[in-house]
Amino acid sequence: MKKTKQKIILSSIELFNQKGLTNVRLQNIADQCGISVGNLAYHFPNKLAIIEVIDEILQSEIEPILSDKKRFPYLIDFDNQLSNYYFFINKYAFYFLDLMELERSYPDLHIKRKQYIHKMIDQIHKWLLDNISKSILQEEIQEEQYRHTAKAIWMIITFWMTQQHVKGTHHQDEGEFKEVVWNQLVPIFTESGLMEFEAIILPQLKNYSTQ
C-alpha cells in the first residue's frame, strides 16, 4: 500500500475510534492526514471506499486469531489469546462500538461481524470442552452450560470497550480485562485446574496491578 493511502487508512481508523463512524467526514480525515480533500478523493472517492479497505485489513488480522486450527493446550495459551482479543478490539474499537450504525449503514460489514462473533464463541466453547477432557474444568451440570459460559465470555470481550466509554473511562487496562474474564472461569475449575491457575495465571494478573 502506498504511503499516502496507508496514512489515510490509519488516520481513518484513529478518527473512527475517537468519533464513531457517522461523525467522521472526508474533510476530517484529510485534515488528520495533512492533505486536501481533493488529494484524499484521488485515492478514495468516498468514506465507504475507505471502510472497505479497512474491512479487508481487519479480516486479514482477525482470521488468524479465530482460526479453527488455533489451539490452547494450557491456561497460559488461552491467556495469550485473551491478549490477542484485547489488542484487536482496541485497534478497531469502532467496529465493536458502532453496532447499530454498522448494521444500518454497512450491512455487509455487519454480516461479517456476526460471523466473527460466532467464530469467537465457537473457539471459546471448544477450549472449554477441551479442558473438561483434561480435568482442568468441571463437567457440565446442565445442558449447554459451557456454551452459555462461552457466550458470557464473548460478551465481556466484545463489549469491554463499550462499557469503558459508557463509564467515561478511556484508559484501557489489559489486566482488569483479563481478570474479569478469568473470574468467569475460577468457579468451574477442578482442583488441578485451580492449581494451574494459581501457579501460572494469578501471578501475571497481580503483576498487571503493580505496573
Side-chain angles (χ1 to χ4, degrees):
M1 186 180 295
K2 293 181 179 180
K3 285 186 178 180
T4 302
K5 293 186 73 172
Q6 185 176 30
K7 190 173 184 180
I8 292 170
I9 292 300
L10 294 176
S11 296
S12 297
I13 293 172
E14 183 179 352
L15 287 170
F16 292 158
N17 287 342
Q18 291 175 356
K19 302 177 180 294
L21 281 171
T22 56
N23 299 320
V24 176
R25 299 179 294 112
L26 289 183
Q27 183 67 62
N28 302 130
I29 299 171
D31 291 344
Q32 183 84 351
C33 294
I35 61 176
S36 68
V37 175
N39 191 357
L40 188 151
Y42 172 78
H43 298 282
F44 298 99
N46 50 50
K47 190 164 74 172
L48 178 59
I50 296 174
I51 292 172
E52 286 175 344
V53 172
I54 293 174
D55 180 49
E56 291 176 5
I57 298 170
L58 185 152
Q59 183 174 331
S60 71
E61 293 183 18
I62 197 172
E63 287 190 347
I65 295 174
L66 300 180
S67 170
D68 293 337
K69 297 179 181 179
K70 203 170 183 67
R71 292 291 178 265
F72 321 108
Y74 303 104
L75 296 187
I76 190 62
D77 297 305
F78 185 66
D79 190 72
N80 291 334
Q81 182 69 349
L82 289 178
S83 292
N84 290 333
Y85 293 149
Y86 176 82
F87 287 111
F88 182 84
I89 290 170
N90 271 308
K91 185 173 182 179
Y92 299 104
F94 75 91
Y95 195 68
F96 297 91
L97 289 172
D98 297 344
L99 306 183
M100 297 303 295
E101 176 59 26
L102 206 65
E103 183 176 6
R104 290 169 180 163
S105 302
Y106 308 100
D108 290 341
L109 268 68
H110 174 67
I111 291 171
K112 287 183 181 180
R113 184 184 182 279
K114 287 174 64 176
Q115 292 171 346
Y116 296 146
I117 288 170
H118 289 305
K119 282 187 175 184
M120 185 180 291
I121 293 172
D122 288 343
Q123 187 179 68
I124 297 168
H125 186 221
K126 177 68 166 55
W127 178 80
L128 292 168
L129 297 182
D130 286 347
N131 278 275
I132 294 176
S133 63
K134 294 190 297 182
S135 299
I136 296 297
L137 297 178
Q138 301 170 23
E139 295 283 346
E140 293 179 298
I141 60 175
Q142 60 184 14
E143 188 176 357
E144 293 294 295
Q145 175 187 345
Y146 284 176
R147 185 74 183 175
H148 296 313
T149 302
K151 288 180 180 178
I153 292 173
W154 159 74
M155 284 190 281
I156 293 169
I157 293 167
T158 304
F159 295 107
W160 180 258
M161 292 292 296
T162 304
Q163 63 95 19
Q164 293 290 306
H165 278 255
V166 168
K167 292 191 305 182
T169 307
H170 298 284
H171 170 69
Q172 302 304 317
D173 186 338
E174 183 185 0
E176 184 182 356
F177 164 79
K178 286 187 173 183
E179 186 175 2
V180 172
V181 174
W182 280 114
N183 282 343
Q184 306 302 306
L185 300 171
V186 169
I188 56 176
F189 279 134
T190 61
E191 185 175 345
S192 60
L194 191 58
M195 288 176 61
E196 183 179 340
F197 173 78
E198 290 177 343
I200 305 298
I201 305 302
L202 195 55
Q204 293 202 55
L205 295 178
K206 290 180 178 178
N207 186 51
Y208 280 110
S209 63
T210 62
Q211 292 178 352

